[in-house]
């Protein structure tokens, strides 16, 4: 009898241990170090007229883009990568094809936590466009004012990152090197994008860079993503701040259809001494990827993507 009870006790103990190991393994499996959040969009617009006394011109347009955030978060390490690509065109009868959207924005930032929600960080960012831009509404027969990597902006710097949750990230870099590239020979004239001499292909600046991303869930299926940046060049006119803001309002109709409204504001003394504004509105297909709900203890603030 004692042998039978001993055998039963051992079997029961092994069973409990196995369940605990299985539970621990299952718990560990639900915590993902990598998070991938992204949205692929294709927006379409069209207008047609026939004998319409109010006037108008037939037109059709499209805008495609991807917006991805790939994040690695484990223990005290935080590595965020952002990929934003967008391009769009509109064809109007009697006018021709014009560009309506053109952006390349890539960045990576690594941080090591030294206090709660604060990270010593360093990163690289690149901003440019895909195709040429022209003075008269992107008319290719008009004067060219921009092109791929003309300008292109490369930022490399170190500082601190504050990230209390997945809805807010702020990075402050008191040491940031900024290169402005103008690789189109037609645009390499003194004064263009801050170039010092004719034939120069780049401009070096060193200063302070601050960036912030703030995501707001306005209501169910309506989300606003705000991105802001400021740069001050220590070496020349630090008072001439480069200021940028981007807002994306996403109104989700269903799993595959959504409406996007974007607003971009920019002031850069080296580009033009006026505030630049760009606004777009589109309705179309949007496919969202989000596998990051359980990548860290901060699981309750992913709702802005759902």
């Amino acid at each position: 009898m004692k042998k039978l009870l001993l055998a039963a006790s051992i079997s029961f103990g092994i069973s409990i241990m196995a369940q605990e190991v299985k539970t621990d393994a299952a718990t560990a499996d639900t915590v993902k170090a990598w998070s991938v959040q992204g949205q692929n969009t294709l927006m379409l617009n069209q207008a047609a007229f026939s004998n319409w006394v109010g006037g108008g011109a037939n037109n059709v347009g499209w805008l495609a883009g991807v917006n991805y955030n790939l994040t690695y978060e484990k223990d005290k390490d935080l590595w965020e990568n952002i990929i934003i690509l967008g391009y769009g065109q509109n064809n109007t009868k009697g006018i021709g094809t014009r560009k309506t959207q053109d952006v390349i924005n890539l960045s990576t930032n690594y941080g090591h936590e030294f206090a709660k929600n604060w990270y010593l960080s360093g990163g690289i960012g690149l901003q440019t466009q895909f195709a040429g831009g022209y003075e008269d509404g992107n008319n290719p027969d008009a004067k060219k004012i921009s092109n791929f990597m003309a300008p292109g902006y490369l930022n490399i710097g170190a500082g601190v990152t504050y990230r209390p949750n997945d809805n807010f990230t702020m990075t402050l870099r008191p040491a940031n090197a900024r290169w402005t590239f103008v690789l189109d020979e037609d645009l390499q004239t003194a004064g263009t994008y801050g170039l010092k001499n004719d034939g120069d292909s780049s401009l070096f600046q060193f200063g302070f860079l601050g960036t912030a991303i703030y995501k707001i869930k306005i209501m169910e299926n309506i989300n606003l993503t705000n991105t802001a940046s400021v740069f001050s060049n220590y070496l020349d006119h630090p008072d001439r701040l480069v200021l940028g803001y981007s807002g994306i309002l996403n109104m989700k109709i269903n799993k595959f259809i959504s409406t996007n409204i974007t607003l971009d504001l920019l002031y850069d003394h080296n580009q033009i001494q006026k505030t630049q504004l760009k606004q777009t509105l589109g309705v179309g297909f949007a496919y969202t990827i989000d596998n990051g709900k359980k990548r860290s203890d901060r699981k309750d603030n992913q709702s802005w993507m759902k």
Side-chain angles (χ1 to χ4, degrees), residues 102 127 129 133-134 138 145-146 150-151 153 178 192-194 241-247 262-280:
D102 191 356
Q127 295 178 317
Q129 61 194 60
Y134 301 87
N138 293 312
I145 56 176
S146 62
Y153 298 101
R178 185 178 194 249
T192 303
Y193 300 111
L241 302 179
V242 179
L243 303 172
Y245 168 80
S246 175
T262 70
L263 174 65
D264 293 277
L265 296 170
L266 175 65
Y267 181 83
D268 185 343
H269 186 89
N270 287 335
Q271 290 192 10
I272 182 174
Q273 295 171 30
K274 297 179 181 179
T275 300
Q276 302 177 52
L277 181 148
K278 180 180 67 175
Q279 185 271 323
T280 65

Side-chain angles (χ1 to χ4, degrees), residues 19-290:
Q19 288 180 6
E20 289 178 351
V21 169
K22 184 177 180 180
T23 301
D24 291 344
T27 300
D29 287 344
T30 63
V31 180
K32 298 177 181 179
W34 276 103
S35 167
V36 179
Q37 298 176 332
Q39 188 175 67
N40 309 284
T41 58
L42 176 61
M43 303 294 177
L44 306 172
N45 59 75
Q46 180 268 340
F49 303 86
S50 178
N51 302 319
W52 189 255
V53 297
N58 297 348
N59 66 82
V60 60
W62 62 273
L63 189 155
V66 297
N67 189 328
Y68 275 76
N69 189 317
L70 297 84
T71 304
Y72 176 87
E73 185 177 13
K74 187 174 183 180
D75 299 327
K76 292 183 178 295
D77 295 321
L78 173 66
W79 183 22
E80 293 187 287
N81 303 275
I82 295 175
I83 301 171
I84 300 175
L85 306 173
Y87 192 80
Q89 291 181 324
N90 183 278
N91 186 286
T92 302
K93 184 177 180 181
I95 297 176
T97 301
R98 299 289 187 269
K99 182 172 62 174
T100 57
Q101 176 77 304
D102 191 356
V103 61
I104 299 174
N105 191 340
L106 311 172
S107 66
T108 182
N109 189 64
Y110 168 79
H112 187 78
E113 191 173 33
F114 66 91
K116 186 177 181 181
N117 302 325
W118 287 92
Y119 300 80
L120 288 173
S121 64
I124 302 173
L126 174 68
Q127 295 178 317
T128 186
Q129 61 194 60
F130 286 101
Y134 301 87
E135 198 170 57
D136 181 18
N138 293 312
N139 177 3
D141 296 325
K143 179 184 177 182
K144 181 165 55 177
I145 56 176
S146 62
N147 208 341
F148 174 73
M149 290 302 290
Y153 298 101
L154 177 66
N155 285 284
I156 302 176
V160 295
T161 295
Y162 176 64
R163 188 172 182 276
N165 54 58
D166 289 347
N167 291 332
F168 181 75
T169 302
M170 178 180 67
T171 298
L172 306 175
R173 295 181 187 165
N176 187 88
R178 185 178 194 249
W179 284 271
T180 301
F181 294 98
V182 182
L183 302 186
D184 188 319
E185 294 183 358
D186 296 336
L187 301 174
Q188 293 174 358
T189 57
T192 303
Y193 300 111
L195 296 181
K196 301 300 184 184
N197 307 290
D198 290 347
D200 284 353
S201 60
S202 65
L203 171 70
F204 174 76
Q205 296 173 300
F206 184 80
F208 169 84
L209 176 66
T211 62
I213 300 176
Y214 182 41
K215 303 164 186 174
I216 306 171
K217 182 177 181 180
I218 299 175
M219 59 180 64
E220 191 66 28
N221 294 327
I222 301 180
N223 306 288
L224 175 64
T225 301
N226 302 277
T227 304
S229 65
V230 56
F231 175 77
S232 175
N233 179 22
Y234 299 148
L235 306 179
D236 184 24
H237 293 287
D239 55 309
R240 293 178 181 174
L241 302 179
V242 179
L243 303 172
Y245 168 80
S246 175
I248 301 176
L249 180 65
N250 178 263
M251 294 174 283
K252 192 173 181 180
I253 299 172
N254 58 36
K255 186 176 181 180
F256 298 107
I257 305 295
S258 71
T259 297
N260 276 359
I261 300 174
T262 70
L263 174 65
D264 293 277
L265 296 170
L266 175 65
Y267 181 83
D268 185 343
H269 186 89
N270 287 335
Q271 290 192 10
I272 182 174
Q273 295 171 30
K274 297 179 181 179
T275 300
Q276 302 177 52
L277 181 148
K278 180 180 67 175
Q279 185 271 323
T280 65
L281 166 64
V283 179
F285 302 98
Y287 180 70
T288 298
I289 296 173
D290 182 5

